[in-house]
């Protein structure tokens, strides 16, 4: 009961943060009815209906030794740590039932959640690639060049040159067999249409013409330079170990990742951009004082 109240409060906090809620809202509308479209926290109804037996059953079905990865980083001896894991988890039993992956269908369109707030928060999303796709570094370079920092295309054009958005960035979210690529912006109601138009013009331009040589090199340098910064903490190193084992079954050497980024070509970016930025599968989610018909979706 204590934890139920904590989660219910977290749901309320998330709903009160439109810059966070718009991402959940986009996925709920873009992948309707699929678990990937469900909010991680759950809903007030599902949390309120849970009881101890439901939680115990989930624990028994899901926490099996064949699904478990234990990762650690820091001042630690591997053999000693492995012995501790054996002692603590030796009594775990059971084998997970295998099931085929259920890929969600994309639902294109414009979606709006009206809120009486000053800004309109926008997510513009397209289908993406999976976390194991061999073009993942190409996608990183593309997303970084589009909206990965203050020198990116969208930040310069939408915020710096025209002052249309308070915040704007591009991102990708990748899962085992599917993903999505998106652009987030926080703008005013009167600037919404123009902001969306400029974003779509830019992604179309990249798909047609690619990146300039300077953009390509700047994006690659930014990504390579961010790797050691991202691994400064032992916690981030621990998560990287677990993630690599989960998705690749091995440790990805840092020089392997760096080499893959440096090998990305202008042609690689164009080919992937043309695949990702499919306007017939475009979704736009709005949270704020706006309706879905304030933005017009371009023809495929």
């Amino acid at each position: 009961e204590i934890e139920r109240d904590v989660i219910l409060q977290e749901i309320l906090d998330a709903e009160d943060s439109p810059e966070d809620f718009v991402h959940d809202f986009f996925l709920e509308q873009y992948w309707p009815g699929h678990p990937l479209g469900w909010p991680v926290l759950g809903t007030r109804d599902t949390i309120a209906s849970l009881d101890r037996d439901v939680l115990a059953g989930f624990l028994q079905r899901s926490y099996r030794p064949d699904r478990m990865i234990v990762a650690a980083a820091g001042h630690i001896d591997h053999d000693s740590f492995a012995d501790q894991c054996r002692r603590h988890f030796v009594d775990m039993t059971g084998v997970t039932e295998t099931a085929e992956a259920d890929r969600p269908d994309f639902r294109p369109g414009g979606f709006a959640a009206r809120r009486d707030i000053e800004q309109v928060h926008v997510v513009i999303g397209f289908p993406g690639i999976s976390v194991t796709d061999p073009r993942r570094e190409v996608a990183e370079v593309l997303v970084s060049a589009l909206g990965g920092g203050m020198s990116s295309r969208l930040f310069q054009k939408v915020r710096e040159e025209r002052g249309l958005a308070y915040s704007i960035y591009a991102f990708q979210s990748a899962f085992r067999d599917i993903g999505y690529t998106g652009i987030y912006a926080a703008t005013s109601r009167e600037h919404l249409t123009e902001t969306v138009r400029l974003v779509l013009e830019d992604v179309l331009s990249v798909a047609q013409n690619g990146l300039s040589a300077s953009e390509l090199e700047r994006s690659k340098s930014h990504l390579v330079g961010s790797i050691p910064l991202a691994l400064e903490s032992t916690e981030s190193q621990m998560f990287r170990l677990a993630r690599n084992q989960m998705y690749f079954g091995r440790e990805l050497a840092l020089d392997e990742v760096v080499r893959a980024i440096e090998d990305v070509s202008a042609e690689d970016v164009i080919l992937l951009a043309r695949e990702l930025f499919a306007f017939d599968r475009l979704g736009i989610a709005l949270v704020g004082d706006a309706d879905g018909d304030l933005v017009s979706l371009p023809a495929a």
Side-chain angles (χ1 to χ4, degrees), residues 1 13 23 28 56 64 92 103-104 114 116 124-125 131 176-177 194 221 228 236 254 291:
E1 290 304 316
D13 291 343
H23 292 277
E28 181 183 3
R64 299 288 178 83
M92 286 184 70
R103 289 168 59 92
R114 289 191 61 83
D116 186 18
I124 300 169
V131 70
R176 185 179 298 277
D177 61 348
E194 180 69 0
S221 297
S236 60
L254 290 180
D291 296 312

Side-chain angles (χ1 to χ4, degrees), residues 141-170:
V141 171
L142 169 60
V143 168
S144 176
L146 263 180
M150 290 187 293
S151 62
S152 65
R153 277 194 180 200
L154 293 175
F155 191 93
Q156 287 296 314
K157 178 178 290 188
V158 177
R159 175 180 162 127
E160 295 298 288
E161 295 176 12
R162 291 172 173 81
L164 296 176
Y166 174 76
S167 175
I168 187 165
Y169 60 82

Side-chain angles (χ1 to χ4, degrees), residues 135-261:
R135 301 167 299 172
R136 56 189 176 273
E137 283 82 13
V138 180
E140 291 283 356
V141 171
L142 169 60
V143 168
S144 176
L146 263 180
M150 290 187 293
S151 62
S152 65
R153 277 194 180 200
L154 293 175
F155 191 93
Q156 287 296 314
K157 178 178 290 188
V158 177
R159 175 180 162 127
E160 295 298 288
E161 295 176 12
R162 291 172 173 81
L164 296 176
Y166 174 76
S167 175
I168 187 165
Y169 60 82
F171 63 92
Q172 65 169 335
S173 186
F175 303 98
R176 185 179 298 277
D177 61 348
I178 202 168
Y180 72 102
T181 303
I183 296 99
Y184 164 85
T187 184
S188 63
R189 178 186 171 91
E190 57 267 30
H191 292 150
L192 174 62
T193 301
E194 180 69 0
T195 299
V196 173
R197 183 185 67 80
L198 287 173
V199 169
L200 295 181
E201 281 183 358
D202 248 15
V203 299
L204 183 60
S205 173
V206 173
Q208 292 176 339
N209 308 309
L211 303 173
S212 68
S214 60
E215 282 181 308
L216 181 64
E217 290 308 312
R218 184 166 59 245
S219 179
K220 292 198 288 188
S221 297
H222 170 73
L223 289 172
V224 171
S226 67
I227 291 175
L229 295 176
L231 295 177
E232 280 188 336
S233 72
T234 52
E235 182 180 28
S236 60
Q237 293 178 36
M238 174 194 68
F239 279 121
R240 183 177 186 274
L241 286 170
R243 181 180 174 85
N244 284 339
Q245 290 296 328
M246 184 180 300
Y247 289 120
F248 302 100
R250 66 183 181 90
E251 171 62 9
L252 297 183
L254 290 180
D255 58 354
E256 177 183 349
V257 177
V258 169
R259 189 164 56 249
I261 293 172

Side-chain angles (χ1 to χ4, degrees), residues 138 207 209-211 216 263-274:
V138 180
N209 308 309
L211 303 173
L216 181 64
D263 287 344
V264 173
S265 69
E267 182 67 17
D268 293 334
V269 172
I270 290 179
L271 290 175
L272 184 59
R274 289 177 180 175

Side-chain angles (χ1 to χ4, degrees), residues 6-27:
V6 171
I7 300 300
L8 288 172
Q9 185 58 54
E10 289 180 351
I11 291 174
L12 293 174
D13 291 343
E15 291 176 349
D16 286 341
S17 302
E19 65 274 18
D20 297 327
F21 175 74
V22 69
H23 292 277
D24 286 343
F25 178 63
F26 172 81
L27 288 181

